[in-house]
Amino acid sequence: MTSISSLSSAAATSAPVVRQSRFANLGRIWVHVVLCAYAVIALFPIALIMINSIKSRDAIFDNPLAFPTPETFSLIGFEKVLHNTNFMLYFGNSLVVTLGSLVLIVLFGAMAGWALSEYKFRGNRLMALYLALGIMIPIRLGTVSILQLVVSLDLINTRTALILVYTAQGLPLAVMILSEFIRQIPKELKDAARCDGVGEFKIFFQIILPLIRPAIATVAVFTMIPAWNDLWFPLILAPSDETKTVTLGVQQFIGQYVTDWNSVLAALSLAVIPILVMYVIFSRQLIRGLTSGAVK
Amino acid sequence: MNLQNKKFPWHIVVFLAPAVVIYSMFSALPLLDTLRLGFYTSNDAGVHSFVGLANYHTILFDSDWSKAFWNAMLNNVKFFAIHMLLQNPIGLLLATLFSLKGLRGARTYRTLIFLPTLLSVVIIGFIWQLILSPLWGVGEGLMTHVGLGDYFAPWLGQESTALLTLGLVSVWQYVGIPMMLIYAALLAVPEEVLEAAYAEGASSFRIFWQIKLPLILPTLGLVTILTFVANFNAFDLIYSVKGALAGPNYTTDILGTFFYRTFFGYQAQIGSPTMGAAVATLMFLVILLGVASYFYFVQRKLTRYEL
């Protein structure tokens, strides 16, 4: 689409375009210089950690900027971290917490989004506003009472507590994005189903839910990342060794082993890798979500 | 909807209930309850008693408390200012460059520069701590390489530079968010308008200042308020680099770390949930004030411009 419109504009104004092209090319080079420079600044620290995590201790100190060679290559840091610590357990915890809250956010968020956008009932707009408040007001401010609640429910040091808190945190944005998306589904689809006597629940689960898959992917990315990266609630609600998440684990691990550079760098790399993988899988969805106005 | 729908609409309740219950229990009600707790005090046995505004009086007027509170507040304002002066203009610049028509590799740049935004602040904080530490010398070595070695200093450890350095690290990490939001807004600028301007011979600079920028003002407003809420609620970076004490000598203390210390205690001081609730309430008021003035002054005016 862009190419067609740019072609037609080029044809319409061919004379000035040709004259400008030289300057435009020069300008383009500067654009690339600036963007390349910034990309290096953005990636250098991460690359530095990952490169050094697979080097021997001496090489880390002697020449931190060099790539590993066969002589300096070493996985001792990863071995130590994986064998001597509970890192794999922390990974499991993060996975359970993130995926658990993700499922609840998507399911309950879509159900609420459907109810708010499909049915007219008294208090509809008020309910939508009530749920939307959570987008702007950080859940962290309620921590004192959340902790008391979690203690009184006997959920302290459980992954359930984290799942419930992240679900509450993610729902407002999910409801907003999903109800916006559901509104765009053609009325005829639902009406036809209703004429055939299909129940409301069946309509939602069998017609609507499959239709809003792209929006669900967007919501998934937006809710997974904060949950995976959060430090505050694991620190407060589930700091025990059995329930620690990776983020909290790394935070405390590095504090303890700060002199063991191989292990520290390996731990940092291990904590980065899942997000890198997630990013590679979801980056298109993430960018589509952002550029389609999902967060306006 | 139809006439036959006179009976109670159970299906609406079933659809709404899970979301509303979880959101209310773990977000809305705890927030309200925290506002309430700020008016109470608790004794050693954990029994709460109503004390009115006493907690707020302590925080705002007791000499030790008020010094710490206003220090955190001022640092937080500085932290926000750093983001507004650097993060958002850089995000705007990058987004403007990406959105240039027909730029090669635009998607790759976008993807790469957004990456740090996704990583945990804990990891980011430690990476920069390692780079900037005089011990490892990567930062110093690099600066020496370009002839600036003499200017290297342990910035994270000095009272005069620690907050600025942490602010820059945070800017480095989160620049992807304004960048993406502004990029999305720039994509939405109608193609015909730009082509008409090009056809009339307007320069790229003029098109940027007089067409693109006014059209993306609502997004810049949104970016501002999102930055505000995120900054006045920040905690992780300071905590993971500087610990709960936000050293050196509290020069990096912001409201988030002040709240944490008040709630959980540290070294000589015992934590107090009710004092913590009072601090959280003050943070809530600051954020509410920011969000409300955004909707009142910015959002309202902008919609008028759009018409």
Side-chain angles (χ1 to χ4, degrees), chain A residues 2 5-6 8-9 13 20 28 31-36 38-39 41-46 48-49 52 60-61 64-65 104 108-109 111-112 114-116 118-121 127 129-150 153 155 161 164-165 167-169 171-172 175 194 200-201 204-205 225 228-232 235-236 247 250-251 254-255 258 261 264-265 268 271-272 275-276 279 283-284 286-287 290-293 295-296, chain B residues 1 9-12 14-16 18-20 22-34 36-37 48 90 93-94 97-98 100-105 107 109-124 126-128 130-131 133 135-138 141-142 171-172 175 180-181 183-185 187-188 191 195 198-199 201-202 219 222 225-226 229 233-236 239-240 256 259-260 263-264 273-274 276-277 280-281 283-284 287-288 291 294-295:
Chain A
T2 335
S5 62
S6 60
S8 64
S9 76
T13 58
Q20 275 178 4
R28 280 289 140 93
V31 170
H32 281 290
V33 168
V34 171
L35 288 176
C36 269
Y38 199 89
I41 294 174
L43 296 178
F44 169 74
I46 302 162
L48 184 72
I49 294 308
N52 281 288
I60 294 173
F61 275 100
L65 297 174
L104 294 187
F108 295 162
M111 283 164 62
W114 162 254
L116 291 174
E118 180 65 15
Y119 306 119
K120 292 195 187 84
F121 57 92
M127 186 62 84
L129 183 71
Y130 170 66
L131 287 172
L133 283 179
I135 297 174
M136 278 291 179
I137 297 173
I139 192 169
R140 193 175 282 179
L141 297 177
T143 303
V144 178
S145 301
I146 291 177
L147 179 60
Q148 290 186 350
L149 176 70
V150 166
L153 292 174
L155 287 175
L164 288 167
V165 168
T167 305
Q169 174 178 263
L171 274 170
V175 170
R194 287 206 180 100
E200 295 297 321
F201 295 103
F204 173 75
F205 283 102
I225 289 159
W228 182 278
N229 284 338
D230 187 41
L231 174 66
W232 179 266
L235 187 66
I236 289 161
T247 308
V250 168
Q251 203 269 330
I254 293 173
V258 81
W261 283 60
V264 168
L265 295 178
L268 284 171
V272 168
I275 291 282
L276 285 183
Y279 189 42
S283 70
R284 284 191 63 189
L286 177 75
I287 285 162
L290 280 165
T291 50
S292 70
V295 275
K296 267 180 226 162
Chain B
M1 296 150 309
W10 279 110
H11 57 280
I12 300 181
V14 175
F15 278 125
L16 268 176
V20 172
I22 293 185
Y23 171 74
S24 302
M25 263 187 87
F26 287 91
S27 180
L29 294 179
L31 186 66
L32 282 178
D33 191 53
T34 300
R36 183 188 64 88
L37 271 178
H48 293 316
I90 293 175
L93 173 75
L94 292 171
L97 295 183
F98 290 151
L100 288 177
K101 226 161 65 183
L103 184 80
R104 279 175 160 226
R107 182 188 286 171
Y109 288 127
R110 210 169 64 202
T111 309
L112 293 180
I113 296 178
F114 193 70
L115 184 65
T117 307
L118 299 175
L119 300 180
S120 156
V121 182
V122 172
I123 297 166
I124 297 296
F126 273 107
I127 292 180
W128 279 101
L130 293 180
I131 292 174
S133 83
L135 191 66
W136 197 15
V138 176
L142 277 176
V171 166
W172 171 84
V175 78
M180 282 299 193
L181 290 173
Y183 173 70
L187 284 189
E191 195 79 7
E195 269 166 29
Y198 274 118
T219 303
L222 180 75
I225 191 62
L226 288 178
V229 174
N233 181 40
F235 165 79
D236 303 35
Y239 179 78
S240 56
F259 171 38
Y260 180 84
F263 184 12
F264 284 97
T274 47
T281 304
M283 289 169 75
F284 173 74
I287 290 174
L288 193 69
V291 173
Y294 163 72
F295 278 108

Side-chain angles (χ1 to χ4, degrees), chain B residues 88-236:
Chain B
N88 299 343
I90 293 175
L92 176 64
L93 173 75
L94 292 171
T96 310
L97 295 183
F98 290 151
S99 63
L100 288 177
K101 226 161 65 183
L103 184 80
R104 279 175 160 226
R107 182 188 286 171
T108 313
Y109 288 127
R110 210 169 64 202
T111 309
L112 293 180
I113 296 178
F114 193 70
L115 184 65
T117 307
L118 299 175
L119 300 180
S120 156
V121 182
V122 172
I123 297 166
I124 297 296
F126 273 107
I127 292 180
W128 279 101
Q129 211 175 346
L130 293 180
I131 292 174
L132 293 176
S133 83
L135 191 66
W136 197 15
V138 176
E140 195 173 5
L142 277 176
M143 285 186 66
T144 310
H145 214 72
V146 291
L148 294 171
D150 291 344
Y151 292 95
F152 184 84
W155 288 300
L156 276 172
Q158 295 176 342
E159 284 189 24
S160 55
T161 53
L163 183 66
L164 176 65
T165 311
L166 284 171
L168 291 176
V169 169
S170 176
V171 166
W172 171 84
Q173 174 170 25
Y174 286 122
V175 78
I177 291 174
M179 180 184 88
M180 282 299 193
L181 290 173
I182 294 168
Y183 173 70
L186 286 172
L187 284 189
V189 172
E191 195 79 7
E192 306 86 64
V193 178
L194 297 179
E195 269 166 29
Y198 274 118
E200 302 210 347
S203 69
S204 297
F205 271 102
R206 237 188 111 195
I207 290 175
F208 176 76
W209 286 109
Q210 300 199 328
I211 299 177
K212 288 185 179 170
L213 202 60
L215 281 173
I216 62 166
L217 274 183
T219 303
L220 295 183
L222 180 75
V223 165
T224 304
I225 191 62
L226 288 178
T227 310
F228 180 85
V229 174
N231 284 168
F232 277 85
N233 181 40
F235 165 79
D236 303 35

Side-chain angles (χ1 to χ4, degrees), chain A residues 28-98:
Chain A
R28 280 289 140 93
I29 290 171
W30 278 110
V31 170
H32 281 290
V33 168
V34 171
L35 288 176
C36 269
Y38 199 89
V40 169
I41 294 174
L43 296 178
F44 169 74
I46 302 162
L48 184 72
I49 294 308
M50 303 198 84
I51 289 170
N52 281 288
S53 70
I54 50 171
K55 280 157 61 170
S56 67
R57 189 186 153 81
D58 292 341
I60 294 173
F61 275 100
D62 291 345
N63 201 349
L65 297 174
F67 281 96
T69 62
E71 294 94 68
T72 59
F73 179 80
S74 162
L75 291 176
I76 179 82
F78 288 93
E79 271 165 36
K80 277 200 238 170
V81 170
L82 292 176
H83 281 132
N84 306 344
T85 68
N86 286 330
F87 234 76
M88 290 322 281
L89 175 72
Y90 303 159
F91 263 106
N93 289 335
S94 276
L95 214 60
V96 168
V97 167
T98 308

Side-chain angles (χ1 to χ4, degrees), chain B residues 38-40 51-67 69-70 258 274-275 278-279 281-282:
Chain B
F39 296 114
Y40 286 75
V51 288
L53 292 169
N55 292 339
Y56 297 99
H57 193 270
T58 307
I59 293 171
L60 296 173
F61 298 106
D62 177 271
S63 60
D64 285 345
W65 278 92
S66 84
K67 215 175 101 191
F69 173 74
W70 288 113
F258 179 65
T274 47
M275 279 304 259
V279 173
T281 304
L282 291 171

